[in-house]
């Protein structure tokens, strides 16, 4: 049975694999958002609406029961869902106003905030390998940022929106860390996604966007990759690692998104971009030594 195989694996190794797989899946989300012909907010709604029923089904398969969720957990889920919805609105609009590498890099400022949270608020000092990993990761991110940033008003608005998305995404992740302490991962994500979808639907209508896409494959792929697989794997991994490790793993996304932007839209990818990406990936390998 798949469930038995799932539980027979080393929990830590399986969680790390899920953490990496989730970030890889999410990294290609901006590419699919650009290909979608519905409005950016509406595309976010379909990402959630199409994935959520399957999240509930998988959650039920792994033992999730709505009646077993604590009242306080519902509050955390509601807060997480609202901030996740705001994150998607800002990020999806910003994706069209800046480079893919920029969009993902700024949206993942959560990586830095989670590292700070893990060290200062949670009072968990990093070990030797973690310190080296943090240095490598942020040097790599700085190289990516140095290549991505352009003093152009064309990119400024998009960068600002994506930065706001990163701030709200940080709140979402911190709330989901609380939820995952006592709630099954797929069911927890399904509930948060439901709340976020309820934020996105009226927002898309208010913005006057095209709601129904004429081409469905981008939103279908977005729902399966970024939401079901990406957020599903990430949510599963949350309770298995410190905020520091989760934060470093998020930096994998801008490295891959920069490559996607180069491949699909011819966005410049220099030797410094490649070096920065390799440093981020090296940091992820080293942080496993914690």
């Amino acid at each position: 049975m798949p469930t038995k195989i799932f539980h027979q694996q080393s929990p830590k190794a399986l969680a790390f694999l899920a953490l990496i797989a989730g970030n890889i899946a999410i990294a290609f989300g901006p590419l699919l958002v650009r290909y979608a012909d519905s409005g950016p907010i509406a595309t976010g709604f379909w990402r959630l609406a199409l994935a959520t029923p399957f999240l509930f089904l998988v959650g039920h398969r792994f033992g999730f029961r709505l009646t077993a969720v604590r009242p306080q957990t519902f509050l955390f889920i509601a807060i997480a869902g609202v901030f996740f919805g705001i994150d998607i609105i800002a990020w999806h609009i910003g994706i069209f106003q800046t480079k893919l590498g920029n969009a993902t890099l700024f949206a993942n400022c959560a990586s830095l905030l989670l590292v700070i949270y893990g060290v200062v608020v949670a009072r968990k000092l990093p070990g030797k390998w973690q310190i080296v990993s943090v240095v490598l990761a942020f040097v790599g991110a700085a190289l990516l940022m140095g290549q991505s940033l352009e003093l152009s008003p064309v990119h400024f608005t998009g960068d600002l929106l994506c930065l706001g998305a990163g701030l709200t995404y940080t709140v979402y992740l911190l709330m989901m860390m609380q939820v995952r302490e006592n709630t099954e991962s797929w069911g927890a994500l399904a509930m948060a996604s439901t709340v976020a979808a309820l934020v996105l639907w009226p927002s898309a209508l208010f913005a006057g966007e095209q709601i129904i896409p004429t081409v469905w494959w981008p939103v279908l792929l977005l729902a399966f990759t970024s939401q079901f697989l990406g957020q599903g794997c990430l949510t599963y991994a949350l309770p298995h690692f410190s905020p520091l490790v989760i934060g470093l793993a998020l930096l994998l996304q801008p490295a891959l998104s920069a490559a996607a932007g180069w491949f699909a839209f011819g966005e410049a990818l220099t030797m410094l971009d490649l070096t920065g990406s390799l440093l981020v990936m090296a940091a992820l390998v080293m942080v496993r030594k914690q």
Side-chain angles (χ1 to χ4, degrees):
M1 294 291 291
T3 307
K4 289 184 179 180
I5 295 174
F6 186 88
H7 287 293
Q8 285 171 354
Q9 304 298 317
S10 167
K12 199 76 169 181
L14 187 61
F16 190 74
L17 179 62
L19 181 63
I20 298 302
N23 278 285
I24 290 173
I26 294 170
F28 294 96
L31 184 66
L32 295 170
V33 171
R34 282 195 182 180
Y35 280 129
D37 63 357
S38 51
I41 302 174
T43 299
F45 167 77
W46 289 115
R47 162 186 167 173
L48 299 172
L50 294 171
T52 297
F54 295 98
L55 292 171
F56 272 117
L57 285 174
V58 175
H60 180 78
R61 181 69 181 86
F62 283 104
F64 172 74
R65 299 294 181 270
L66 193 61
T67 54
V69 179
R70 302 175 183 178
Q72 185 181 30
T73 301
F74 276 119
L75 176 60
F76 285 135
I77 288 171
I79 296 172
V82 169
F83 275 89
F84 190 34
I86 297 171
D87 159 56
I88 291 177
I89 291 172
W91 193 27
H92 280 201
I93 295 174
I95 284 168
F96 287 94
Q97 300 184 33
T98 188
K99 296 165 63 176
L100 289 187
N102 280 38
T104 314
L105 186 63
F106 282 109
N108 281 287
C109 68
S111 58
L112 174 60
L113 297 176
L114 286 175
V115 169
I116 294 173
Y117 175 86
V119 174
V120 178
V121 179
R123 297 181 181 178
K124 293 182 180 178
L125 295 176
K128 177 182 66 175
W129 288 110
Q130 289 179 330
I131 292 173
V132 175
S133 300
V134 168
V135 172
L136 283 178
F138 284 106
V139 169
L143 291 177
L144 286 168
M145 183 180 293
Q147 290 298 292
S148 295
L149 286 178
E150 295 180 12
L151 296 178
S152 167
V154 175
H155 286 171
F156 178 76
T157 301
D159 290 344
L160 195 61
L161 284 168
C162 292
L163 181 61
L167 296 175
T168 53
Y169 190 54
T170 304
V171 178
Y172 163 74
L173 287 175
L174 291 175
M175 291 296 102
M176 290 303 287
M177 286 179 187
Q178 295 294 323
V179 171
R180 282 289 285 119
E181 289 182 359
N182 53 46
T183 311
E184 189 277 330
S185 63
W186 298 92
L189 178 59
M191 289 190 293
S193 299
T194 301
V195 175
L198 294 175
V199 172
L200 289 167
W201 175 256
S203 299
L205 291 175
F206 179 77
E209 291 187 352
Q210 176 181 331
I211 305 297
I212 308 297
T214 58
V215 179
W216 281 93
W217 70 263
V219 293
L220 287 169
L221 277 179
L222 185 66
F224 177 75
T225 56
S226 285
Q227 191 62 23
F228 181 81
L229 182 60
Q231 289 295 334
C233 288
L234 178 59
T235 304
Y236 167 77
L238 286 179
H240 296 274
F241 299 102
S242 67
L244 185 149
V245 177
I246 299 294
L248 292 185
L250 293 178
L251 290 174
L252 186 60
Q253 294 182 35
L256 293 173
S257 286
W262 166 75
F263 178 78
F265 301 109
E267 295 178 351
L269 190 63
T270 68
M271 185 57 66
L272 285 179
D273 287 315
L274 294 173
T275 303
S277 299
L278 289 174
L279 287 176
V280 170
M281 293 175 189
L284 291 174
V285 172
M286 296 185 70
V287 83
R288 281 289 287 133
K289 296 181 179 292
Q290 64 169 326

